[in-house]
Amino acid sequence: RKWLLPIVLWIMGFVMSFMGPGAIPCLALMPIIAVPIALQAGYNPIMLSVIAVSGAQSARMSVITPEGVLVADLLTKQGLSDVMVPVFVSMFLMGLVNAIAAFVFYKGWKTKKSIDIEGEKIPKFSINQFISLAALLIMAVGVLFFKLNVGLLSFLIGSLLVVIGIASEKDAINGIPWNVLLLVAGVG
């Protein structure tokens, strides 16, 4: 039943994105889920990540995702009010074709020996990690329930974590993948 994993990960990415958060957070979360599964099952981790991310991209333009709402609003302002179904179908097909192409390119039907990662000892959370998780939860509640600005709230919470010594600004800045940020900013 290992052959079902690419399909399940594509569907998982699709459902997670479709439920409301959109593709942006799912694009970060799906590889984190896909890589350990790929290693345990003997699949190429890049292939399963691309498939999972393609699932998230497929649901990007649903009517409840932030991207879908934004695009629908912009299209309505331009006099194109009933075009979201074709836009959604196009994104759906693009994600599906992309996932199939990744499966073919990486020869997904050929699996390798699986890696046993269950035997590894996972370190316990430190108090700083628990405080950071609590800060993330506070940020999520603030954004979801109190409609606070996500950028300002994340900057505020991040700054507080640095001020009280939970996080190191030097480590945080050194940990930023600058080449990726410059690439994304340049493409954007």
Side-chain angles (χ1 to χ4, degrees):
R1 305 215 179 164
K2 196 164 49 168
W3 60 271
L4 281 173
L5 284 176
I7 297 167
V8 168
L9 281 168
W10 187 89
I11 291 171
M12 182 186 295
F14 179 86
V15 169
M16 285 178 64
S17 180
F18 188 83
M19 288 187 334
I24 295 169
C26 294
L27 294 176
L29 292 174
M30 291 313 298
I32 295 170
I33 296 168
V35 169
I37 292 172
L39 293 174
Q40 282 186 320
Y43 279 111
N44 183 317
I46 296 172
M47 179 195 74
L48 274 190
S49 294
V50 169
I51 289 172
V53 164
S54 296
Q57 288 280 42
S58 294
R60 184 169 217 161
M61 291 299 151
S62 82
V63 294
I64 60 172
T65 62
E67 300 102 301
V69 170
L70 177 65
V71 168
D73 185 47
L74 291 172
L75 290 172
T76 301
K77 287 179 182 175
Q78 295 179 14
L80 303 168
S81 59
D82 293 331
V83 295
M84 279 311 289
V85 171
V87 169
F88 176 77
V89 170
S90 298
M91 287 297 292
F92 178 84
L93 292 174
M94 179 278 313
L96 190 59
V97 168
N98 193 34
I100 293 169
F103 187 82
V104 170
F105 180 80
Y106 287 104
K107 297 178 178 80
W109 56 90
K110 294 181 180 179
T111 58
K112 298 177 181 137
K113 185 180 177 204
S114 62
I115 298 172
D116 182 24
I117 61 174
E118 287 187 28
E120 294 182 20
K121 183 167 172 66
I122 299 172
K124 296 192 183 275
F125 273 91
S126 69
I127 188 69
N128 287 353
Q129 290 170 323
F130 278 116
I131 293 171
S132 296
L133 283 174
L136 281 173
L137 182 64
I138 290 169
M139 189 177 82
V141 168
V143 170
L144 293 173
F145 297 109
F146 298 107
K147 306 295 183 208
L148 298 175
N149 183 301
V150 67
L152 291 175
L153 187 60
S154 61
F155 183 74
L156 173 68
I157 289 176
S159 299
L160 288 174
L161 290 174
V162 168
V163 167
I164 62 175
I166 299 300
S168 163
E169 73 276 4
K170 183 179 178 185
D171 292 339
I173 290 173
N174 287 338
I176 294 173
W178 289 105
N179 55 346
V180 174
L181 282 177
L182 290 173
L183 174 70
V184 170
V187 170

Short mmCIF file of all heavy atoms in Angstrom, two decimals, residues 26-93:
data_model
loop_
_atom_site.label_atom_id
_atom_site.label_comp_id
_atom_site.label_asym_id
_atom_site.label_seq_id
_atom_site.Cartn_x
_atom_site.Cartn_y
_atom_site.Cartn_z
N CYS A 26 0.55 26.15 3.80
CA CYS A 26 0.66 24.74 3.42
C CYS A 26 1.93 24.48 2.63
O CYS A 26 2.49 23.38 2.69
CB CYS A 26 -0.55 24.30 2.63
SG CYS A 26 -2.06 24.31 3.60
N LEU A 27 2.39 25.47 1.87
CA LEU A 27 3.64 25.30 1.13
C LEU A 27 4.81 25.12 2.07
O LEU A 27 5.80 24.47 1.73
CB LEU A 27 3.88 26.51 0.21
CG LEU A 27 2.88 26.70 -0.92
CD1 LEU A 27 3.17 27.97 -1.68
CD2 LEU A 27 2.86 25.50 -1.84
N ALA A 28 4.72 25.66 3.27
CA ALA A 28 5.78 25.46 4.26
C ALA A 28 5.58 24.17 5.05
O ALA A 28 6.54 23.50 5.42
CB ALA A 28 5.83 26.65 5.21
N LEU A 29 4.33 23.81 5.30
CA LEU A 29 4.05 22.64 6.14
C LEU A 29 4.16 21.30 5.42
O LEU A 29 4.62 20.32 6.00
CB LEU A 29 2.64 22.75 6.74
CG LEU A 29 2.42 23.85 7.76
CD1 LEU A 29 0.96 23.92 8.14
CD2 LEU A 29 3.28 23.62 8.98
N MET A 30 3.74 21.25 4.19
CA MET A 30 3.67 19.96 3.50
C MET A 30 5.03 19.27 3.33
O MET A 30 5.12 18.06 3.53
CB MET A 30 2.94 20.10 2.16
CG MET A 30 1.46 20.40 2.30
SD MET A 30 0.58 19.36 3.49
CE MET A 30 0.78 17.74 2.79
N PRO A 31 6.11 19.98 2.99
CA PRO A 31 7.40 19.28 2.93
C PRO A 31 7.84 18.72 4.28
O PRO A 31 8.47 17.67 4.35
CB PRO A 31 8.37 20.36 2.43
CG PRO A 31 7.51 21.30 1.68
CD PRO A 31 6.20 21.33 2.41
N ILE A 32 7.48 19.41 5.36
CA ILE A 32 7.84 18.93 6.69
C ILE A 32 7.15 17.60 6.98
O ILE A 32 7.69 16.72 7.63
CB ILE A 32 7.47 19.98 7.76
CG1 ILE A 32 8.32 21.23 7.56
CG2 ILE A 32 7.63 19.43 9.17
CD1 ILE A 32 7.88 22.41 8.39
N ILE A 33 5.95 17.45 6.45
CA ILE A 33 5.22 16.19 6.61
C ILE A 33 5.73 15.15 5.63
O ILE A 33 5.88 13.97 5.96
CB ILE A 33 3.70 16.44 6.41
CG1 ILE A 33 3.17 17.36 7.51
CG2 ILE A 33 2.94 15.13 6.38
CD1 ILE A 33 1.77 17.89 7.25
N ALA A 34 6.02 15.57 4.40
CA ALA A 34 6.35 14.63 3.32
C ALA A 34 7.73 14.00 3.46
O ALA A 34 7.90 12.81 3.16
CB ALA A 34 6.24 15.34 1.97
N VAL A 35 8.73 14.75 3.90
CA VAL A 35 10.10 14.23 3.92
C VAL A 35 10.26 13.03 4.85
O VAL A 35 10.80 11.99 4.43
CB VAL A 35 11.11 15.36 4.24
CG1 VAL A 35 12.48 14.81 4.53
CG2 VAL A 35 11.17 16.34 3.08
N PRO A 36 9.82 13.08 6.11
CA PRO A 36 9.98 11.88 6.95
C PRO A 36 9.20 10.67 6.42
O PRO A 36 9.68 9.54 6.50
CB PRO A 36 9.43 12.31 8.32
CG PRO A 36 9.33 13.77 8.30
CD PRO A 36 9.27 14.20 6.88
N ILE A 37 8.03 10.94 5.85
CA ILE A 37 7.25 9.85 5.28
C ILE A 37 8.00 9.23 4.10
O ILE A 37 8.07 8.01 3.96
CB ILE A 37 5.84 10.34 4.85
CG1 ILE A 37 5.02 10.70 6.09
CG2 ILE A 37 5.13 9.31 4.01
CD1 ILE A 37 3.70 11.37 5.79
N ALA A 38 8.58 10.09 3.26
CA ALA A 38 9.34 9.60 2.10
C ALA A 38 10.52 8.77 2.55
O ALA A 38 10.79 7.70 1.97
CB ALA A 38 9.80 10.79 1.26
N LEU A 39 11.24 9.22 3.55
CA LEU A 39 12.41 8.47 4.02
C LEU A 39 12.01 7.12 4.59
O LEU A 39 12.70 6.12 4.37
CB LEU A 39 13.18 9.29 5.06
CG LEU A 39 13.86 10.56 4.54
CD1 LEU A 39 14.45 11.35 5.68
CD2 LEU A 39 14.91 10.22 3.50
N GLN A 40 10.92 7.08 5.31
CA GLN A 40 10.46 5.80 5.88
C GLN A 40 9.95 4.86 4.81
O GLN A 40 10.09 3.65 4.93
CB GLN A 40 9.37 6.04 6.93
CG GLN A 40 9.91 6.50 8.25
CD GLN A 40 8.83 6.57 9.30
OE1 GLN A 40 7.71 7.00 9.01
NE2 GLN A 40 9.15 6.17 10.50
N ALA A 41 9.36 5.40 3.75
CA ALA A 41 8.75 4.55 2.73
C ALA A 41 9.71 4.22 1.59
O ALA A 41 9.40 3.37 0.76
CB ALA A 41 7.51 5.24 2.17
N GLY A 42 10.85 4.91 1.52
CA GLY A 42 11.80 4.65 0.45
C GLY A 42 11.57 5.49 -0.80
O GLY A 42 12.15 5.22 -1.84
N TYR A 43 10.72 6.50 -0.70
CA TYR A 43 10.48 7.40 -1.82
C TYR A 43 11.51 8.53 -1.82
O TYR A 43 12.12 8.82 -0.79
CB TYR A 43 9.08 8.04 -1.73
CG TYR A 43 7.97 7.16 -2.23
CD1 TYR A 43 7.04 6.62 -1.36
CD2 TYR A 43 7.83 6.89 -3.58
CE1 TYR A 43 6.01 5.83 -1.82
CE2 TYR A 43 6.80 6.10 -4.05
CZ TYR A 43 5.89 5.57 -3.17
OH TYR A 43 4.87 4.79 -3.63
N ASN A 44 11.64 9.20 -2.95
CA ASN A 44 12.48 10.37 -3.04
C ASN A 44 11.79 11.50 -2.27
O ASN A 44 10.64 11.84 -2.57
CB ASN A 44 12.66 10.77 -4.51
CG ASN A 44 13.59 11.93 -4.69
OD1 ASN A 44 13.53 12.91 -3.96
ND2 ASN A 44 14.44 11.83 -5.69
N PRO A 45 12.46 12.10 -1.27
CA PRO A 45 11.80 13.13 -0.47
C PRO A 45 11.43 14.37 -1.27
O PRO A 45 10.41 15.01 -1.00
CB PRO A 45 12.82 13.48 0.62
CG PRO A 45 13.98 12.61 0.41
CD PRO A 45 13.78 11.76 -0.77
N ILE A 46 12.23 14.71 -2.28
CA ILE A 46 11.89 15.87 -3.11
C ILE A 46 10.61 15.59 -3.88
O ILE A 46 9.73 16.45 -3.98
CB ILE A 46 13.05 16.22 -4.05
CG1 ILE A 46 14.27 16.65 -3.24
CG2 ILE A 46 12.66 17.32 -5.03
CD1 ILE A 46 15.52 16.84 -4.04
N MET A 47 10.50 14.38 -4.41
CA MET A 47 9.30 14.03 -5.18
C MET A 47 8.04 14.13 -4.31
O MET A 47 7.06 14.75 -4.70
CB MET A 47 9.42 12.60 -5.74
CG MET A 47 8.18 12.18 -6.52
SD MET A 47 8.08 10.42 -6.81
CE MET A 47 7.62 9.81 -5.20
N LEU A 48 8.08 13.53 -3.13
CA LEU A 48 6.88 13.57 -2.28
C LEU A 48 6.58 15.00 -1.82
O LEU A 48 5.42 15.38 -1.69
CB LEU A 48 7.02 12.64 -1.08
CG LEU A 48 6.63 11.19 -1.30
CD1 LEU A 48 6.58 10.43 0.01
CD2 LEU A 48 5.33 11.03 -2.04
N SER A 49 7.62 15.80 -1.60
CA SER A 49 7.40 17.20 -1.23
C SER A 49 6.73 17.96 -2.35
O SER A 49 5.78 18.72 -2.13
CB SER A 49 8.72 17.87 -0.86
OG SER A 49 9.27 17.32 0.29
N VAL A 50 7.21 17.76 -3.58
CA VAL A 50 6.62 18.44 -4.73
C VAL A 50 5.17 18.01 -4.92
O VAL A 50 4.29 18.83 -5.20
CB VAL A 50 7.45 18.18 -6.01
CG1 VAL A 50 6.72 18.65 -7.25
CG2 VAL A 50 8.80 18.87 -5.90
N ILE A 51 4.91 16.73 -4.74
CA ILE A 51 3.54 16.23 -4.89
C ILE A 51 2.62 16.84 -3.82
O ILE A 51 1.51 17.29 -4.12
CB ILE A 51 3.52 14.69 -4.85
CG1 ILE A 51 4.14 14.14 -6.14
CG2 ILE A 51 2.10 14.15 -4.66
CD1 ILE A 51 4.36 12.65 -6.14
N ALA A 52 3.09 16.88 -2.58
CA ALA A 52 2.28 17.45 -1.50
C ALA A 52 2.04 18.94 -1.71
O ALA A 52 0.92 19.44 -1.52
CB ALA A 52 2.97 17.20 -0.15
N VAL A 53 3.07 19.66 -2.13
CA VAL A 53 2.94 21.09 -2.39
C VAL A 53 2.03 21.33 -3.59
O VAL A 53 1.25 22.28 -3.62
CB VAL A 53 4.34 21.71 -2.60
CG1 VAL A 53 4.27 23.08 -3.23
CG2 VAL A 53 5.08 21.78 -1.27
N SER A 54 2.08 20.44 -4.58
CA SER A 54 1.19 20.57 -5.74
C SER A 54 -0.27 20.40 -5.32
O SER A 54 -1.16 21.06 -5.87
CB SER A 54 1.55 19.53 -6.80
OG SER A 54 2.84 19.77 -7.30
N GLY A 55 -0.52 19.53 -4.36
CA GLY A 55 -1.87 19.40 -3.82
C GLY A 55 -2.34 20.69 -3.18
O GLY A 55 -3.49 21.13 -3.38
N ALA A 56 -1.44 21.33 -2.41
CA ALA A 56 -1.79 22.61 -1.79
C ALA A 56 -2.03 23.68 -2.85
O ALA A 56 -2.96 24.48 -2.73
CB ALA A 56 -0.68 23.05 -0.83
N GLN A 57 -1.21 23.69 -3.89
CA GLN A 57 -1.40 24.66 -4.96
C GLN A 57 -2.72 24.43 -5.70
O GLN A 57 -3.34 25.38 -6.17
CB GLN A 57 -0.24 24.56 -5.98
CG GLN A 57 1.06 25.09 -5.47
CD GLN A 57 1.13 26.60 -5.54
OE1 GLN A 57 0.17 27.31 -5.23
NE2 GLN A 57 2.26 27.10 -5.94
N SER A 58 -3.14 23.18 -5.79
CA SER A 58 -4.37 22.86 -6.51
C SER A 58 -5.59 23.51 -5.89
O SER A 58 -6.55 23.83 -6.60
CB SER A 58 -4.58 21.34 -6.55
OG SER A 58 -3.58 20.74 -7.32
N ALA A 59 -5.58 23.71 -4.59
CA ALA A 59 -6.74 24.30 -3.91
C ALA A 59 -6.55 25.78 -3.62
O ALA A 59 -7.38 26.39 -2.95
CB ALA A 59 -6.99 23.55 -2.60
N ARG A 60 -5.53 26.34 -4.14
CA ARG A 60 -5.16 27.72 -3.84
C ARG A 60 -6.27 28.72 -4.12
O ARG A 60 -6.44 29.70 -3.40
CB ARG A 60 -3.91 28.09 -4.62
CG ARG A 60 -3.40 29.45 -4.32
CD ARG A 60 -2.05 29.70 -4.89
NE ARG A 60 -1.33 30.50 -3.92
CZ ARG A 60 -0.05 30.64 -3.87
NH1 ARG A 60 0.71 30.00 -4.72
NH2 ARG A 60 0.51 31.40 -2.97
N MET A 61 -7.03 28.51 -5.15
CA MET A 61 -8.05 29.49 -5.54
C MET A 61 -9.47 29.10 -5.14
O MET A 61 -10.43 29.49 -5.80
CB MET A 61 -7.99 29.73 -7.06
CG MET A 61 -6.76 30.45 -7.51
SD MET A 61 -6.65 32.09 -6.76
CE MET A 61 -4.90 32.30 -6.70
N SER A 62 -9.59 28.36 -4.04
CA SER A 62 -10.95 28.08 -3.57
C SER A 62 -11.55 29.37 -3.02
O SER A 62 -10.83 30.32 -2.72
CB SER A 62 -10.95 26.98 -2.49
OG SER A 62 -10.63 27.50 -1.23
N VAL A 63 -12.85 29.41 -2.90
CA VAL A 63 -13.53 30.66 -2.53
C VAL A 63 -13.33 31.05 -1.07
O VAL A 63 -13.73 32.15 -0.69
CB VAL A 63 -15.04 30.57 -2.85
CG1 VAL A 63 -15.25 30.47 -4.34
CG2 VAL A 63 -15.68 29.40 -2.13
N ILE A 64 -12.71 30.18 -0.26
CA ILE A 64 -12.51 30.55 1.14
C ILE A 64 -11.05 30.77 1.51
O ILE A 64 -10.75 31.15 2.63
CB ILE A 64 -13.13 29.49 2.09
CG1 ILE A 64 -12.51 28.13 1.88
CG2 ILE A 64 -14.62 29.46 1.94
CD1 ILE A 64 -12.94 27.10 2.90
N THR A 65 -10.12 30.54 0.59
CA THR A 65 -8.72 30.80 0.89
C THR A 65 -8.43 32.29 0.74
O THR A 65 -9.11 32.98 -0.03
CB THR A 65 -7.79 30.01 -0.05
OG1 THR A 65 -8.01 30.43 -1.38
CG2 THR A 65 -7.99 28.52 0.09
N PRO A 66 -7.44 32.80 1.46
CA PRO A 66 -7.12 34.23 1.31
C PRO A 66 -6.79 34.62 -0.13
O PRO A 66 -7.21 35.67 -0.60
CB PRO A 66 -5.91 34.42 2.22
CG PRO A 66 -6.00 33.31 3.21
CD PRO A 66 -6.64 32.17 2.50
N GLU A 67 -6.04 33.74 -0.82
CA GLU A 67 -5.69 34.03 -2.20
C GLU A 67 -6.93 34.05 -3.09
O GLU A 67 -7.08 34.94 -3.94
CB GLU A 67 -4.71 32.99 -2.76
CG GLU A 67 -3.41 32.89 -2.00
CD GLU A 67 -3.39 31.67 -1.08
OE1 GLU A 67 -4.27 31.60 -0.20
OE2 GLU A 67 -2.50 30.84 -1.22
N GLY A 68 -7.82 33.10 -2.89
CA GLY A 68 -9.05 33.03 -3.67
C GLY A 68 -9.93 34.24 -3.44
O GLY A 68 -10.50 34.80 -4.38
N VAL A 69 -10.06 34.65 -2.19
CA VAL A 69 -10.88 35.82 -1.86
C VAL A 69 -10.28 37.07 -2.49
O VAL A 69 -11.00 37.89 -3.08
CB VAL A 69 -11.01 35.97 -0.33
CG1 VAL A 69 -11.64 37.30 0.04
CG2 VAL A 69 -11.80 34.82 0.26
N LEU A 70 -8.97 37.21 -2.40
CA LEU A 70 -8.30 38.37 -2.98
C LEU A 70 -8.48 38.42 -4.49
O LEU A 70 -8.84 39.46 -5.06
CB LEU A 70 -6.81 38.35 -2.62
CG LEU A 70 -5.97 39.48 -3.21
CD1 LEU A 70 -6.40 40.81 -2.64
CD2 LEU A 70 -4.50 39.22 -2.95
N VAL A 71 -8.24 37.30 -5.15
CA VAL A 71 -8.38 37.26 -6.61
C VAL A 71 -9.83 37.51 -7.02
O VAL A 71 -10.10 38.24 -7.97
CB VAL A 71 -7.85 35.92 -7.16
CG1 VAL A 71 -8.22 35.72 -8.62
CG2 VAL A 71 -6.34 35.85 -6.99
N ALA A 72 -10.77 36.90 -6.30
CA ALA A 72 -12.19 37.12 -6.63
C ALA A 72 -12.56 38.58 -6.49
O ALA A 72 -13.28 39.14 -7.33
CB ALA A 72 -13.07 36.25 -5.73
N ASP A 73 -12.06 39.23 -5.43
CA ASP A 73 -12.34 40.65 -5.22
C ASP A 73 -11.75 41.49 -6.33
O ASP A 73 -12.41 42.39 -6.87
CB ASP A 73 -11.79 41.08 -3.86
CG ASP A 73 -12.15 42.51 -3.52
OD1 ASP A 73 -13.33 42.87 -3.67
OD2 ASP A 73 -11.24 43.27 -3.10
N LEU A 74 -10.51 41.21 -6.70
CA LEU A 74 -9.86 41.97 -7.77
C LEU A 74 -10.57 41.77 -9.12
O LEU A 74 -10.75 42.71 -9.89
CB LEU A 74 -8.39 41.58 -7.89
CG LEU A 74 -7.49 42.03 -6.74
CD1 LEU A 74 -6.10 41.42 -6.86
CD2 LEU A 74 -7.42 43.55 -6.67
N LEU A 75 -10.97 40.53 -9.38
CA LEU A 75 -11.67 40.25 -10.63
C LEU A 75 -13.05 40.92 -10.66
O LEU A 75 -13.49 41.42 -11.70
CB LEU A 75 -11.80 38.75 -10.86
CG LEU A 75 -10.50 38.02 -11.19
CD1 LEU A 75 -10.72 36.51 -11.20
CD2 LEU A 75 -9.94 38.50 -12.52
N THR A 76 -13.74 40.94 -9.52
CA THR A 76 -15.05 41.59 -9.45
C THR A 76 -14.92 43.09 -9.71
O THR A 76 -15.75 43.67 -10.40
CB THR A 76 -15.69 41.33 -8.07
OG1 THR A 76 -15.82 39.92 -7.88
CG2 THR A 76 -17.06 41.98 -7.97
N LYS A 77 -13.87 43.70 -9.17
CA LYS A 77 -13.64 45.13 -9.40
C LYS A 77 -13.38 45.43 -10.87
O LYS A 77 -13.59 46.54 -11.32
CB LYS A 77 -12.47 45.62 -8.55
CG LYS A 77 -12.80 45.72 -7.08
CD LYS A 77 -11.60 46.19 -6.29
CE LYS A 77 -11.94 46.22 -4.81
NZ LYS A 77 -10.76 46.55 -3.98
N GLN A 78 -12.91 44.43 -11.60
CA GLN A 78 -12.65 44.61 -13.03
C GLN A 78 -13.82 44.16 -13.89
O GLN A 78 -13.70 44.08 -15.12
CB GLN A 78 -11.38 43.86 -13.42
CG GLN A 78 -10.15 44.42 -12.75
CD GLN A 78 -8.89 43.65 -13.11
OE1 GLN A 78 -8.88 42.86 -14.05
NE2 GLN A 78 -7.84 43.89 -12.37
N GLY A 79 -14.93 43.81 -13.25
CA GLY A 79 -16.13 43.42 -13.99
C GLY A 79 -16.18 41.95 -14.38
O GLY A 79 -16.98 41.56 -15.20
N LEU A 80 -15.34 41.14 -13.78
CA LEU A 80 -15.31 39.70 -14.07
C LEU A 80 -15.74 38.94 -12.82
O LEU A 80 -14.93 38.40 -12.10
CB LEU A 80 -13.90 39.27 -14.49
CG LEU A 80 -13.30 40.01 -15.68
CD1 LEU A 80 -11.83 39.72 -15.80
CD2 LEU A 80 -14.04 39.60 -16.95
N SER A 81 -17.04 38.91 -12.59
CA SER A 81 -17.52 38.36 -11.32
C SER A 81 -17.70 36.84 -11.32
O SER A 81 -17.63 36.23 -10.27
CB SER A 81 -18.83 39.04 -10.92
OG SER A 81 -19.80 38.84 -11.93
N ASP A 82 -17.93 36.22 -12.45
CA ASP A 82 -18.23 34.79 -12.45
C ASP A 82 -17.11 33.96 -13.08
O ASP A 82 -17.38 33.02 -13.82
CB ASP A 82 -19.54 34.52 -13.19
CG ASP A 82 -20.74 35.09 -12.45
OD1 ASP A 82 -20.67 35.16 -11.21
OD2 ASP A 82 -21.72 35.45 -13.10
N VAL A 83 -15.87 34.28 -12.77
CA VAL A 83 -14.77 33.54 -13.40
C VAL A 83 -13.95 32.72 -12.39
O VAL A 83 -12.96 32.12 -12.77
CB VAL A 83 -13.83 34.49 -14.17
CG1 VAL A 83 -14.54 35.13 -15.33
CG2 VAL A 83 -13.24 35.53 -13.25
N MET A 84 -14.37 32.68 -11.15
CA MET A 84 -13.57 31.96 -10.15
C MET A 84 -13.61 30.45 -10.34
O MET A 84 -12.66 29.76 -10.02
CB MET A 84 -14.00 32.33 -8.72
CG MET A 84 -13.40 33.63 -8.23
SD MET A 84 -11.62 33.79 -8.48
CE MET A 84 -10.99 32.62 -7.29
N VAL A 85 -14.69 29.92 -10.89
CA VAL A 85 -14.75 28.48 -11.13
C VAL A 85 -13.70 28.07 -12.17
O VAL A 85 -12.92 27.14 -11.93
CB VAL A 85 -16.17 28.01 -11.52
CG1 VAL A 85 -16.16 26.57 -11.99
CG2 VAL A 85 -17.12 28.20 -10.35
N PRO A 86 -13.59 28.77 -13.30
CA PRO A 86 -12.52 28.40 -14.24
C PRO A 86 -11.11 28.61 -13.65
O PRO A 86 -10.20 27.83 -13.94
CB PRO A 86 -12.74 29.32 -15.45
CG PRO A 86 -14.14 29.78 -15.34
CD PRO A 86 -14.50 29.75 -13.90
N VAL A 87 -10.95 29.65 -12.84
CA VAL A 87 -9.64 29.88 -12.21
C VAL A 87 -9.33 28.73 -11.27
O VAL A 87 -8.20 28.20 -11.27
CB VAL A 87 -9.62 31.24 -11.47
CG1 VAL A 87 -8.38 31.38 -10.60
CG2 VAL A 87 -9.71 32.39 -12.46
N PHE A 88 -10.30 28.31 -10.46
CA PHE A 88 -10.09 27.20 -9.54
C PHE A 88 -9.77 25.91 -10.31
O PHE A 88 -8.85 25.18 -9.96
CB PHE A 88 -11.31 26.99 -8.65
CG PHE A 88 -11.19 25.80 -7.74
CD1 PHE A 88 -10.41 25.86 -6.60
CD2 PHE A 88 -11.83 24.60 -8.03
CE1 PHE A 88 -10.27 24.77 -5.76
CE2 PHE A 88 -11.70 23.50 -7.21
CZ PHE A 88 -10.92 23.59 -6.07
N VAL A 89 -10.53 25.64 -11.35
CA VAL A 89 -10.32 24.42 -12.14
C VAL A 89 -8.93 24.45 -12.79
O VAL A 89 -8.22 23.44 -12.82
CB VAL A 89 -11.43 24.24 -13.20
CG1 VAL A 89 -11.10 23.14 -14.19
CG2 VAL A 89 -12.76 23.96 -12.52
N SER A 90 -8.51 25.61 -13.28
CA SER A 90 -7.18 25.73 -13.87
C SER A 90 -6.09 25.44 -12.86
O SER A 90 -5.12 24.72 -13.15
CB SER A 90 -6.98 27.13 -14.46
OG SER A 90 -7.90 27.38 -15.47
N MET A 91 -6.21 26.00 -11.66
CA MET A 91 -5.22 25.75 -10.61
C MET A 91 -5.24 24.29 -10.19
O MET A 91 -4.19 23.69 -9.94
CB MET A 91 -5.48 26.65 -9.39
CG MET A 91 -5.11 28.09 -9.62
SD MET A 91 -3.37 28.37 -9.94
CE MET A 91 -2.64 27.98 -8.38
N PHE A 92 -6.43 23.71 -10.11
CA PHE A 92 -6.57 22.30 -9.75
C PHE A 92 -5.83 21.43 -10.77
O PHE A 92 -5.03 20.56 -10.41
CB PHE A 92 -8.05 21.92 -9.69
CG PHE A 92 -8.28 20.47 -9.38
CD1 PHE A 92 -8.28 20.02 -8.08
CD2 PHE A 92 -8.48 19.55 -10.41
CE1 PHE A 92 -8.49 18.68 -7.79
CE2 PHE A 92 -8.70 18.21 -10.13
CZ PHE A 92 -8.70 17.77 -8.82
N LEU A 93 -6.09 21.67 -12.05
CA LEU A 93 -5.45 20.87 -13.10
C LEU A 93 -3.93 21.09 -13.13
O LEU A 93 -3.17 20.16 -13.34
CB LEU A 93 -6.07 21.20 -14.45
CG LEU A 93 -7.52 20.74 -14.62
CD1 LEU A 93 -8.08 21.24 -15.94
CD2 LEU A 93 -7.65 19.23 -14.49
#
